[in-house]
């Protein structure tokens, strides 16, 4: 697995510090991130592909610096956002899936084959020529996730990708995510998704306050939340 | 409120199967020809041809109406203006030409996958590479443009619903401000998503 390294990373939005001196080295296969609303999880995730630059400290993703080598890093890291609407860039379902493959310069057949595979994953085979904006919220989220995974990035970072999914789809996505061969960093409020994970970070007020196996980290997080 | 304005509708008609480049070229020719349409008869003829093309593509009156509806007020105002200022012939010509061109443009997007349109535009824009324009980016712009229409219409619908749900009347400012905020926020997130999907390279 690639190594993701944060060394003394702080981040401030207009002088308001939302991440404070975070140092972690992630080498595990599946890493979860939990924490209260506004604790800094999304900021942490965005550091990993250079969408946010650290105010101080350094980030290395497989040895690359997302600040100076943003392009290379983003080629390595697939990023799935919470809001699926903003991630869909083509008008129809199949076209949006194919969009991410354009820069891979695959043959027509290869592209079609992969699109087929991920249409199946998203349960959207019957909707291939459907306008993407007419899908339900959960279907859009599945499409957005499939659009990231179809490019086979080496590292997959997901920021609450399952918030709109029904039970069956959430379980399917959880299984699929757990089965991904790539390194996965998953930010989520759905704690049961983290059971098969190797390591879970608990973020609170800009600090990593716990860093352990899922059961232990989740119970620390619960205790933390009970006091609020 | 969800719209299907100008969005691809799968089909197997001749128009669907025609290469995207041919359709775009015809559209350009139609634009040039329209400059020379001066009489109500010629405009009426063009309109009949356009309607026949819709029928050939298997698109019914409902789809046709959806393409025209957003323009309706503009056309009414234009027609009224020309009726008063320059007579009915001119009114028919001006409104008719706009109608024909809008319908033809919509017909192209209705019968062609956006990806195919994007490919044509990328190909046509290739010579621009010499002056520093990235053709892929020009194509992307087109795709995003087509995709943005339903997004903004959808956002407008959301704002409207939120207003109604909160029992607010229809104040233009209470509508425009949140719509603008949402549109900007959407643009911001879209920018991030495009960067994340490697479009900034
Ligand atoms: N673009 C921004 N500009 C200014 N402040 C921001 C921006 N993005 C986030 N913040 C602030 O930074 C803090 C951390 O935000 P972040 O989005 O990282 O939290 P989070 O842990 O992901 O929360 P949630 O669980 O609600 O998604 C919050 O106080 C938020 O208000
Ligand atoms: Mg967040």
């Amino acid at each position: 697995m690639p190594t993701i390294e944060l060394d003394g990373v702080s981040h401030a939005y207009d002088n308001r510090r939302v991440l404070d001196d975070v140092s972690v080295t992630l080498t595990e296969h599946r890493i979860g991130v939990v924490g209260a609303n506004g604790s800094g999880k999304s900021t942490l995730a965005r550091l990993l592909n250079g969408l946010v630059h650290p105010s101080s400290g350094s980030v290395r993703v497989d040895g690359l610096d997302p600040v100076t080598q943003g392009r290379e890093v983003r080629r390595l890291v697939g990023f799935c956002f919470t809001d699926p609407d903003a991630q869909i860039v083509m008008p129809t379902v199949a076209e949006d899936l194919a969009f991410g493959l354009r820069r891979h310069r695959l043959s027509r057949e290869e592209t079609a084959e992969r699109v087929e595979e991920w249409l199946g994953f998203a349960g959207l085979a019957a909707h291939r020529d459907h306008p993407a904006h007419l899908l339900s919220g959960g279907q859009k989220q599945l499409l957005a996730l499939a659009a990231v995974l179809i490019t086979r990035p080496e590292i997959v970072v997901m920021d609450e990708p399952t918030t709109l999914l029904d039970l069956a789809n959430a379980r399917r996505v959880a299984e699929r995510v757990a089965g991904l061969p790539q390194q996965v960093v998953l930010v989520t409020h759905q704690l049961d998704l983290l059971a098969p994970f190797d390591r879970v970070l608990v973020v609170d007020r800009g600090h990593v306050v716990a860093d352990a196996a899922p059961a232990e980290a989740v119970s620390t997080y619960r205790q933390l939340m009970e006091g609020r | 409120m969800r719209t299907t304005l100008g969005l691809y509708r799968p089909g197997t008609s001749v128009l669907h199967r025609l290469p995207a480049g041919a359709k775009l070229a015809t559209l350009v020719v139609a634009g040039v020809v329209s400059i020379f349409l001066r009489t109500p008869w010629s405009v009426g003829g063009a309109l009949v041809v356009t309607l026949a093309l819709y029928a050939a593509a298997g698109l019914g009156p409902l789809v046709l109406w959806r393409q025209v509806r957003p323009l309706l007020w503009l056309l009414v105002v234009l027609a009224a203006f020309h009726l008063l200022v320059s007579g009915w012939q001119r009114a028919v010509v001006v409104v008719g030409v706009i109608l024909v061109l809008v319908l033809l443009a919509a017909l192209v997007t209705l019968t062609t996958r956006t990806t195919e349109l994007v490919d044509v535009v990328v190909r046509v824009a290739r010579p621009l590479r010499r002056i520093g324009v990235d053709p892929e980016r020009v194509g992307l712009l087109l795709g995003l443009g087509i995709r943005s229409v339903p997004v903004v219409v959808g956002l407008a619908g959301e704002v409207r619903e939120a207003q109604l749900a909160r029992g607010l009347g229809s104040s233009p400012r209470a509508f425009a401000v949140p719509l603008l905020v949402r549109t900007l926020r959407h643009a911001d997130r879209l920018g991030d998503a495009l960067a994340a999907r490697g479009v900034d390279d």
Side-chain angles (χ1 to χ4, degrees):
Chain A
M1 290 293 141
T3 300
I4 299 173
E5 200 171 359
L6 279 73
D7 186 15
V9 169
S10 299
H11 184 76
Y13 292 107
D14 333 297
N15 296 325
R16 212 162 56 80
R17 202 170 255 235
V18 301
L19 279 182
D20 193 15
D21 195 22
V22 173
S23 297
V24 281
T25 303
L26 309 172
T27 53
E28 291 75 8
H29 184 174
R30 286 165 300 214
I31 300 128
V33 180
V34 297
N37 293 129
S39 57
K41 304 180 299 295
S42 295
T43 308
L44 181 71
R46 283 159 173 263
L47 285 165
L48 303 184
N49 73 343
L51 286 180
V52 164
H53 294 173
S55 311
S56 62
S58 73
V59 180
R60 289 289 177 278
V61 178
D62 202 19
L64 299 170
D65 181 352
V67 177
T68 56
Q69 295 164 293
R71 178 188 303 191
E72 290 81 355
V73 169
R74 283 190 279 274
R75 197 155 282 179
L76 217 62
V77 179
F79 199 104
C80 188
F81 299 81
T82 310
D83 172 18
D85 263 307
Q87 294 175 77
I88 299 169
V89 296
M90 290 298 257
T92 64
V93 173
E95 285 179 302
D96 192 65
L97 286 176
F99 170 79
L101 297 175
R102 276 184 90 86
R103 73 193 151 110
H104 291 239
R105 313 225 166 273
L106 301 178
S107 73
R108 226 167 237 279
E109 294 73 37
E110 258 175 300
T111 302
E113 211 170 279
R114 274 217 223 168
V115 166
E116 221 44 52
E117 175 192 349
W118 290 98
L119 275 174
F121 159 79
L124 293 172
H127 294 73
R128 77 187 65 230
D129 286 323
H130 229 66
H133 71 282
L134 295 182
L135 298 176
S136 76
Q139 288 173 324
K140 285 183 198 169
Q141 217 162 31
L142 288 166
L143 173 61
L145 186 59
V148 170
L149 295 177
I150 196 172
T151 62
R152 298 183 185 160
E154 275 182 50
I155 303 170
V156 185
V157 180
M158 295 177 278
D159 191 357
E160 301 183 41
T162 57
T163 46
L164 302 170
L165 302 186
D166 64 32
L167 283 177
N169 277 327
R171 198 185 54 230
R172 246 159 30 85
V173 167
E175 277 165 13
R176 189 76 188 227
V177 166
L180 287 175
Q182 297 105 317
Q183 188 173 34
V184 171
V185 177
L186 172 67
V187 176
T188 187
H189 291 294
Q190 292 174 317
L191 303 177
D192 48 333
L193 292 185
L194 299 174
F197 275 51
D198 304 303
R199 179 176 178 185
V200 173
L201 308 180
V202 181
V203 179
D204 196 45
R205 297 178 178 147
H207 297 273
V208 174
V209 294
D211 178 353
E216 193 188 332
V218 165
S219 96
T220 307
Y221 174 50
R222 283 190 203 281
Q223 280 166 14
L224 196 67
M225 290 297 103
E226 248 153 51
R228 300 262 157 99
Chain B
M1 187 162 53
R2 290 169 156 191
T3 179
T4 51
L5 180 71
L7 277 185
Y8 176 64
R9 310 191 130 231
T12 53
S13 75
V14 180
L15 273 119
H16 282 89
R17 278 175 287 141
L18 221 55
K23 283 185 268 192
L24 281 176
T26 310
L27 190 59
V28 172
V29 171
V32 174
V33 169
S34 74
I35 300 170
F36 302 99
L37 298 181
R38 290 280 157 80
T39 67
W41 284 115
S42 56
V43 173
L47 204 53
V48 168
V49 172
T50 306
L51 297 183
L53 287 173
Y54 267 77
L59 299 168
L62 192 64
V63 179
L64 196 95
W65 168 240
R66 286 210 187 112
Q67 314 310 313
V68 180
R69 198 174 46 188
L71 280 177
L72 209 57
W73 286 110
L74 176 73
L75 294 178
V76 168
V77 170
L78 264 180
F81 173 79
H82 280 286
L83 263 180
L84 292 174
V85 177
S86 40
W88 71 269
Q89 288 99 331
R90 187 81 193 123
V92 168
V93 169
V94 169
V95 171
V97 165
I98 293 178
L99 203 57
V100 166
L101 289 181
V102 166
L103 283 175
L104 285 178
L107 186 60
V108 173
T109 53
L110 282 166
T111 58
T112 321
R113 274 174 218 281
T114 307
T115 310
E116 287 169 40
L117 290 175
V118 168
D119 284 340
V120 171
V121 170
V122 168
R123 232 179 303 134
V124 172
R126 200 154 285 159
L128 296 180
R129 198 188 282 281
R130 250 171 290 150
I131 56 167
V133 177
D134 176 3
E136 274 290 334
R137 201 161 280 210
V138 177
L140 175 68
L141 218 55
L142 175 76
L144 284 179
I146 294 176
R147 152 99 181 110
S148 296
V149 175
V151 170
V152 175
V153 173
L155 290 177
E158 273 175 31
V159 171
R160 190 84 205 99
E161 280 176 7
Q163 270 185 324
L164 291 176
R166 293 171 64 190
L168 300 174
S170 49
S171 134
R173 197 159 57 114
F175 177 73
V177 173
L179 178 59
L180 189 67
V181 169
R182 279 184 204 219
T183 307
L184 291 177
R185 192 173 53 197
H186 174 77
D188 195 40
R189 290 183 182 164
L190 182 65
D192 277 353
L194 285 173
R197 285 176 84 172
V199 172
D200 59 339
D201 324 341

